[in-house]
PDB file of all heavy atoms in Angstrom:
ATOM      1  N   PHE A1458     -57.548  15.591 -20.216  1.00  0.00           N
ATOM      2  CA  PHE A1458     -57.330  14.505 -19.220  1.00  0.00           C
ATOM      3  C   PHE A1458     -58.674  14.117 -18.612  1.00  0.00           C
ATOM      4  O   PHE A1458     -59.363  15.015 -18.080  1.00  0.00           O
ATOM      5  CB  PHE A1458     -56.329  14.953 -18.131  1.00  0.00           C
ATOM      6  CG  PHE A1458     -55.934  13.840 -17.228  1.00  0.00           C
ATOM      7  CD1 PHE A1458     -55.087  12.871 -17.638  1.00  0.00           C
ATOM      8  CD2 PHE A1458     -56.412  13.839 -15.927  1.00  0.00           C
ATOM      9  CE1 PHE A1458     -54.729  11.847 -16.802  1.00  0.00           C
ATOM     10  CE2 PHE A1458     -56.044  12.825 -15.018  1.00  0.00           C
ATOM     11  CZ  PHE A1458     -55.185  11.838 -15.489  1.00  0.00           C
ATOM     12  N   PRO A1459     -59.069  12.854 -18.664  1.00  0.00           N
ATOM     13  CA  PRO A1459     -60.441  12.456 -18.280  1.00  0.00           C
ATOM     14  C   PRO A1459     -60.777  12.575 -16.785  1.00  0.00           C
ATOM     15  O   PRO A1459     -61.953  12.616 -16.433  1.00  0.00           O
ATOM     16  CB  PRO A1459     -60.555  11.008 -18.752  1.00  0.00           C
ATOM     17  CG  PRO A1459     -59.177  10.530 -18.846  1.00  0.00           C
ATOM     18  CD  PRO A1459     -58.317  11.713 -19.177  1.00  0.00           C
ATOM     19  N   LEU A1460     -59.801  12.633 -15.894  1.00  0.00           N
ATOM     20  CA  LEU A1460     -60.098  12.680 -14.469  1.00  0.00           C
ATOM     21  C   LEU A1460     -60.225  14.065 -13.948  1.00  0.00           C
ATOM     22  O   LEU A1460     -60.487  14.246 -12.748  1.00  0.00           O
ATOM     23  CB  LEU A1460     -59.036  11.899 -13.680  1.00  0.00           C
ATOM     24  CG  LEU A1460     -58.912  10.432 -14.015  1.00  0.00           C
ATOM     25  CD1 LEU A1460     -57.795   9.801 -13.211  1.00  0.00           C
ATOM     26  CD2 LEU A1460     -60.201   9.697 -13.807  1.00  0.00           C
ATOM     27  N   LEU A1461     -60.002  15.082 -14.789  1.00  0.00           N
ATOM     28  CA  LEU A1461     -60.081  16.470 -14.376  1.00  0.00           C
ATOM     29  C   LEU A1461     -61.226  17.164 -15.125  1.00  0.00           C
ATOM     30  O   LEU A1461     -61.396  16.934 -16.329  1.00  0.00           O
ATOM     31  CB  LEU A1461     -58.771  17.229 -14.657  1.00  0.00           C
ATOM     32  CG  LEU A1461     -57.562  16.852 -13.898  1.00  0.00           C
ATOM     33  CD1 LEU A1461     -56.338  17.566 -14.421  1.00  0.00           C
ATOM     34  CD2 LEU A1461     -57.710  17.100 -12.411  1.00  0.00           C
ATOM     35  N   ASN A1462     -61.928  18.019 -14.445  1.00  0.00           N
ATOM     36  CA  ASN A1462     -62.927  18.815 -15.163  1.00  0.00           C
ATOM     37  C   ASN A1462     -62.238  20.114 -15.660  1.00  0.00           C
ATOM     38  O   ASN A1462     -61.039  20.322 -15.333  1.00  0.00           O
ATOM     39  CB  ASN A1462     -64.160  19.151 -14.290  1.00  0.00           C
ATOM     40  CG  ASN A1462     -63.830  19.911 -13.066  1.00  0.00           C
ATOM     41  OD1 ASN A1462     -62.929  20.752 -13.058  1.00  0.00           O
ATOM     42  ND2 ASN A1462     -64.556  19.661 -11.995  1.00  0.00           N
ATOM     43  N   GLU A1463     -62.929  20.898 -16.407  1.00  0.00           N
ATOM     44  CA  GLU A1463     -62.354  22.065 -17.033  1.00  0.00           C
ATOM     45  C   GLU A1463     -61.834  23.057 -16.006  1.00  0.00           C
ATOM     46  O   GLU A1463     -60.737  23.635 -16.134  1.00  0.00           O
ATOM     47  CB  GLU A1463     -63.365  22.761 -17.938  1.00  0.00           C
ATOM     48  CG  GLU A1463     -62.813  23.854 -18.785  1.00  0.00           C
ATOM     49  CD  GLU A1463     -63.821  24.444 -19.759  1.00  0.00           C
ATOM     50  OE1 GLU A1463     -64.697  23.672 -20.153  1.00  0.00           O
ATOM     51  OE2 GLU A1463     -63.679  25.601 -20.126  1.00  0.00           O
ATOM     52  N   GLN A1464     -62.557  23.248 -14.927  1.00  0.00           N
ATOM     53  CA  GLN A1464     -62.192  24.205 -13.863  1.00  0.00           C
ATOM     54  C   GLN A1464     -60.901  23.731 -13.190  1.00  0.00           C
ATOM     55  O   GLN A1464     -59.977  24.532 -12.933  1.00  0.00           O
ATOM     56  CB  GLN A1464     -63.310  24.358 -12.846  1.00  0.00           C
ATOM     57  CG  GLN A1464     -62.994  25.276 -11.720  1.00  0.00           C
ATOM     58  CD  GLN A1464     -64.063  25.271 -10.624  1.00  0.00           C
ATOM     59  OE1 GLN A1464     -64.914  24.368 -10.597  1.00  0.00           O
ATOM     60  NE2 GLN A1464     -64.017  26.248  -9.748  1.00  0.00           N
ATOM     61  N   GLN A1465     -60.763  22.439 -12.901  1.00  0.00           N
ATOM     62  CA  GLN A1465     -59.577  21.919 -12.241  1.00  0.00           C
ATOM     63  C   GLN A1465     -58.358  22.035 -13.152  1.00  0.00           C
ATOM     64  O   GLN A1465     -57.272  22.404 -12.701  1.00  0.00           O
ATOM     65  CB  GLN A1465     -59.817  20.460 -11.845  1.00  0.00           C
ATOM     66  CG  GLN A1465     -60.825  20.335 -10.723  1.00  0.00           C
ATOM     67  CD  GLN A1465     -61.252  18.842 -10.539  1.00  0.00           C
ATOM     68  OE1 GLN A1465     -61.198  18.060 -11.466  1.00  0.00           O
ATOM     69  NE2 GLN A1465     -61.658  18.563  -9.296  1.00  0.00           N
ATOM     70  N   ALA A1466     -58.501  21.700 -14.440  1.00  0.00           N
ATOM     71  CA  ALA A1466     -57.439  21.798 -15.374  1.00  0.00           C
ATOM     72  C   ALA A1466     -56.938  23.250 -15.491  1.00  0.00           C
ATOM     73  O   ALA A1466     -55.742  23.531 -15.494  1.00  0.00           O
ATOM     74  CB  ALA A1466     -57.850  21.241 -16.762  1.00  0.00           C
ATOM     75  N   GLN A1467     -57.882  24.157 -15.573  1.00  0.00           N
ATOM     76  CA  GLN A1467     -57.522  25.582 -15.687  1.00  0.00           C
ATOM     77  C   GLN A1467     -56.836  26.057 -14.391  1.00  0.00           C
ATOM     78  O   GLN A1467     -55.843  26.831 -14.490  1.00  0.00           O
ATOM     79  CB  GLN A1467     -58.786  26.406 -15.934  1.00  0.00           C
ATOM     80  CG  GLN A1467     -58.522  27.794 -16.375  1.00  0.00           C
ATOM     81  CD  GLN A1467     -59.822  28.517 -16.769  1.00  0.00           C
ATOM     82  OE1 GLN A1467     -60.880  28.210 -16.251  1.00  0.00           O
ATOM     83  NE2 GLN A1467     -59.723  29.461 -17.697  1.00  0.00           N
ATOM     84  N   ALA A1468     -57.253  25.609 -13.270  1.00  0.00           N
ATOM     85  CA  ALA A1468     -56.631  25.988 -11.990  1.00  0.00           C
ATOM     86  C   ALA A1468     -55.196  25.487 -11.910  1.00  0.00           C
ATOM     87  O   ALA A1468     -54.304  26.231 -11.436  1.00  0.00           O
ATOM     88  CB  ALA A1468     -57.441  25.459 -10.795  1.00  0.00           C
ATOM     89  N   ILE A1469     -54.943  24.289 -12.374  1.00  0.00           N
ATOM     90  CA  ILE A1469     -53.563  23.753 -12.367  1.00  0.00           C
ATOM     91  C   ILE A1469     -52.687  24.593 -13.297  1.00  0.00           C
ATOM     92  O   ILE A1469     -51.569  24.958 -12.965  1.00  0.00           O
ATOM     93  CB  ILE A1469     -53.548  22.261 -12.838  1.00  0.00           C
ATOM     94  CG1 ILE A1469     -54.216  21.370 -11.744  1.00  0.00           C
ATOM     95  CG2 ILE A1469     -52.146  21.796 -13.101  1.00  0.00           C
ATOM     96  CD1 ILE A1469     -54.429  19.964 -12.175  1.00  0.00           C
ATOM     97  N   PHE A1470     -53.188  24.897 -14.486  1.00  0.00           N
ATOM     98  CA  PHE A1470     -52.440  25.716 -15.440  1.00  0.00           C
ATOM     99  C   PHE A1470     -52.133  27.090 -14.913  1.00  0.00           C
ATOM    100  O   PHE A1470     -51.006  27.577 -14.990  1.00  0.00           O
ATOM    101  CB  PHE A1470     -53.196  25.769 -16.790  1.00  0.00           C
ATOM    102  CG  PHE A1470     -52.425  26.401 -17.855  1.00  0.00           C
ATOM    103  CD1 PHE A1470     -51.403  25.714 -18.508  1.00  0.00           C
ATOM    104  CD2 PHE A1470     -52.676  27.686 -18.258  1.00  0.00           C
ATOM    105  CE1 PHE A1470     -50.660  26.292 -19.504  1.00  0.00           C
ATOM    106  CE2 PHE A1470     -51.952  28.293 -19.261  1.00  0.00           C
ATOM    107  CZ  PHE A1470     -50.937  27.608 -19.923  1.00  0.00           C
ATOM    108  N   ILE A1471     -53.115  27.730 -14.331  1.00  0.00           N
ATOM    109  CA  ILE A1471     -52.937  29.102 -13.759  1.00  0.00           C
ATOM    110  C   ILE A1471     -51.925  29.029 -12.605  1.00  0.00           C
ATOM    111  O   ILE A1471     -51.043  29.922 -12.472  1.00  0.00           O
ATOM    112  CB  ILE A1471     -54.284  29.678 -13.322  1.00  0.00           C
ATOM    113  CG1 ILE A1471     -55.124  30.002 -14.526  1.00  0.00           C
ATOM    114  CG2 ILE A1471     -54.089  30.917 -12.476  1.00  0.00           C
ATOM    115  CD1 ILE A1471     -56.537  30.398 -14.253  1.00  0.00           C
ATOM    116  N   TYR A1472     -52.032  28.035 -11.767  1.00  0.00           N
ATOM    117  CA  TYR A1472     -51.105  27.902 -10.598  1.00  0.00           C
ATOM    118  C   TYR A1472     -49.700  27.758 -11.113  1.00  0.00           C
ATOM    119  O   TYR A1472     -48.763  28.433 -10.620  1.00  0.00           O
ATOM    120  CB  TYR A1472     -51.466  26.664  -9.766  1.00  0.00           C
ATOM    121  CG  TYR A1472     -50.594  26.479  -8.543  1.00  0.00           C
ATOM    122  CD1 TYR A1472     -50.880  27.121  -7.352  1.00  0.00           C
ATOM    123  CD2 TYR A1472     -49.461  25.650  -8.617  1.00  0.00           C
ATOM    124  CE1 TYR A1472     -50.011  26.956  -6.262  1.00  0.00           C
ATOM    125  CE2 TYR A1472     -48.638  25.486  -7.509  1.00  0.00           C
ATOM    126  CZ  TYR A1472     -48.920  26.118  -6.341  1.00  0.00           C
ATOM    127  OH  TYR A1472     -48.107  25.961  -5.247  1.00  0.00           O
ATOM    128  N   ARG A1473     -49.514  26.912 -12.157  1.00  0.00           N
ATOM    129  CA  ARG A1473     -48.128  26.746 -12.687  1.00  0.00           C
ATOM    130  C   ARG A1473     -47.635  28.038 -13.340  1.00  0.00           C
ATOM    131  O   ARG A1473     -46.461  28.359 -13.230  1.00  0.00           O
ATOM    132  CB  ARG A1473     -48.126  25.621 -13.719  1.00  0.00           C
ATOM    133  CG  ARG A1473     -46.731  25.316 -14.237  1.00  0.00           C
ATOM    134  CD  ARG A1473     -46.732  24.229 -15.252  1.00  0.00           C
ATOM    135  NE  ARG A1473     -47.244  24.766 -16.502  1.00  0.00           N
ATOM    136  CZ  ARG A1473     -47.696  24.073 -17.493  1.00  0.00           C
ATOM    137  NH1 ARG A1473     -47.803  22.752 -17.394  1.00  0.00           N
ATOM    138  NH2 ARG A1473     -48.112  24.603 -18.606  1.00  0.00           N
TER     139      ARG A1473
END
Side-chain angles (χ1 to χ4, degrees):
F1458 187 73
L1460 299 179
L1461 294 174
N1462 61 34
E1463 188 174 332
Q1464 180 187 13
Q1465 292 169 331
Q1467 193 173 30
I1469 292 172
F1470 187 76
I1471 290 171
Y1472 181 87
R1473 185 182 76 199

